[in-house]
Amino acid sequence: MEEESQSPHLSTRCHCSPRNHVGCFAVCRLSAPAPPPPLPPLLARAQLSAVPQTAEMSMFKRFFKGIIRDRDDEDDDRDTAQKHKPKPYHGTVVPYPNFSASHDASVLNSAIESKGVDEDVIIAVLVRRTNEQRQKIKAVYEASAGTRLVRDLESALRSDLEDITLALLMTPAQFDAYLIRKATKRLGTDEDVLVEVLASRTNQEIRDLKRAFKEEYDTDLESVIRDETKGDFTEALLAMLRADKDEITHVNMAQAKKDAETLFEAGEHPQGINVSTFIDILTKRSGPQLSKTFQMYASASDVSLPKALGMELRGDIEDCLIDIVKCAWNKSAFFAEKLHKAMKGYGTCEDTLIRVLVSRSEVDLKKIVEEYRAMYDISLQEDILHDTKGHYQKVLLGLCGPH
């Protein structure tokens, strides 16, 4: 049995079976949802005074019914007995055994200087090494060859293969800084990239990003954001850049109820939606905490939405908050959707493929690959085979791990 999602933001299917149903929050209706928790008074009143929905989808319906699949709680680690156990590794790139930076540097030097350039050797070395190992190779290469590895590869490689190879040689913080710089320096700011990077990184990763941006481009990232964006969207980005999001995985039920009521009140503000309240809650709470808040709000909004919420947000801030919600609910699905859209229809967005696969290869790409299969009934590797070619394709497939 399959049921198509009606979300305008996420095109996907539920692949749950009646026999083994795990529940796709607000999408799959193959089984009855769990009884909702007690509602805050204000939300309870909203449910009692429910009226039929209008045809126009409200902002909150898009927020809380537009989530594609149930979130994966594996990393939440809510069982106190498991708190001190190491978290499982979900990356696809693992440390290369018997690693020798000097040997790899020598091999790369020979591959670059060989007649015609040996791309296969370059790929075999860089894709199968972790970022930490690549940094050691860079240092040894420069010391032994007397030239920078990045500069030599720029001369030896071309097009998409050059882009992804150079991305692999940056540290995670340098790559994030490069992505933000590219998103703000092109003709027209790439708002989606700004939100993707800031919404998906940890507090420490954002602090590292700001430090790398300052070192590389000699300016504060906050200043660039203020210059290149405006309004509520600017405030949302600056809030994420403060890197003060709660990262405790334990869920505070009382706080979730309070936040659900606060969001409700902000949505029916007489002067219009109070965007600042949404920004404050969505950028400060942890993923598990926000997920419980979404569930509590949806238990009321599924019945009806207050008339005051008929007005939707528009533009960058709407897309920004929706992406924050998606990322908090199920980060793997968030990135799987990004990859699918990059290869859907005519043409392929190489920038997105490189950005996601490189940045997530040592974080959660294994889970993203699994999520992609569950969402689209085809493997990520198969779509890459259909949409790309050559040595560039080999790098992408290598980062995805075994097919």
Side-chain angles (χ1 to χ4, degrees), residues 5-203:
S5 166
Q6 300 301 312
S7 167
H9 293 281
L10 294 170
S11 60
T12 184
R13 300 176 182 175
C14 168
H15 292 276
C16 300
S17 66
R19 186 175 180 182
N20 184 27
H21 177 67
V22 294
C24 295
F25 173 53
V27 173
C28 178
R29 294 181 288 279
L30 290 174
S31 67
L39 296 175
L42 200 54
L43 290 181
R45 290 199 299 274
Q47 186 168 353
L48 290 173
S49 60
V51 295
Q53 281 186 202
T54 61
E56 182 178 3
M57 181 173 289
S58 73
M59 177 186 70
F60 280 94
K61 177 167 177 130
R62 295 176 72 176
F63 269 17
F64 302 114
K65 287 183 71 84
I67 308 301
I68 38 177
R69 281 165 51 82
D70 202 356
R71 74 189 310 274
D72 185 353
D73 294 332
E74 181 180 346
D75 289 337
D76 291 352
D77 197 23
R78 295 176 191 173
D79 186 350
T80 54
Q82 303 295 322
K83 281 186 178 180
H84 300 295
K85 287 188 176 181
K87 289 185 177 181
Y89 181 68
H90 298 296
T92 53
V93 177
V94 298
Y96 189 76
N98 302 317
F99 170 68
S100 170
S102 59
H103 176 266
D104 287 346
S106 176
V107 169
L108 286 175
N109 184 255
S110 298
I112 292 170
E113 293 185 348
S114 67
K115 187 176 181 179
V117 182
D118 195 336
E119 290 94 346
D120 287 319
V121 170
I122 295 172
I123 292 169
V125 172
L126 296 182
V127 173
R128 296 173 187 170
R129 307 300 188 269
T130 63
N131 190 273
E132 181 181 357
Q133 290 175 332
R134 293 185 208 118
Q135 301 313 312
K136 293 177 180 178
I137 294 171
K138 279 171 59 179
V140 172
Y141 185 97
E142 183 170 345
S144 60
T147 59
R148 294 178 59 220
L149 177 57
V150 169
R151 185 173 299 168
D152 287 351
L153 288 172
E154 284 176 333
S155 300
L157 305 176
R158 296 289 180 271
S159 191
D160 299 324
L161 179 59
E162 176 189 351
D163 293 339
I164 195 167
T165 301
L166 298 183
L168 288 171
L169 288 172
M170 299 181 197
T171 67
Q174 289 170 342
F175 187 51
D176 282 347
Y178 164 79
L179 294 174
I180 297 293
R181 179 70 169 182
K182 186 176 180 181
T184 54
K185 291 302 290 184
R186 62 177 58 185
L187 185 61
T189 304
D190 193 333
E191 291 84 1
D192 287 345
V193 172
L194 295 179
V195 177
E196 176 191 313
V197 172
L198 297 181
S200 63
R201 280 16 174 202
T202 65
N203 290 337

Side-chain angles (χ1 to χ4, degrees), residues 288-342:
Q289 186 68 36
L290 284 175
S291 295
K292 183 57 63 177
T293 300
F294 301 158
Q295 289 174 322
M296 288 186 172
Y297 191 97
S299 63
S301 65
D302 276 350
V303 178
S304 176
L305 299 174
K307 294 180 180 180
L309 297 181
M311 180 188 300
E312 294 185 8
L313 290 174
R314 295 288 185 239
D316 297 335
I317 185 60
E318 178 188 17
D319 295 336
C320 172
L321 296 183
I322 289 174
D323 274 0
I324 292 174
V325 169
K326 291 179 186 177
C327 205
W329 180 257
N330 188 332
K331 192 178 294 184
S332 301
F334 171 75
F335 282 112
E337 183 201 20
K338 291 274 185 180
L339 292 169
H340 181 70
K341 286 183 175 180

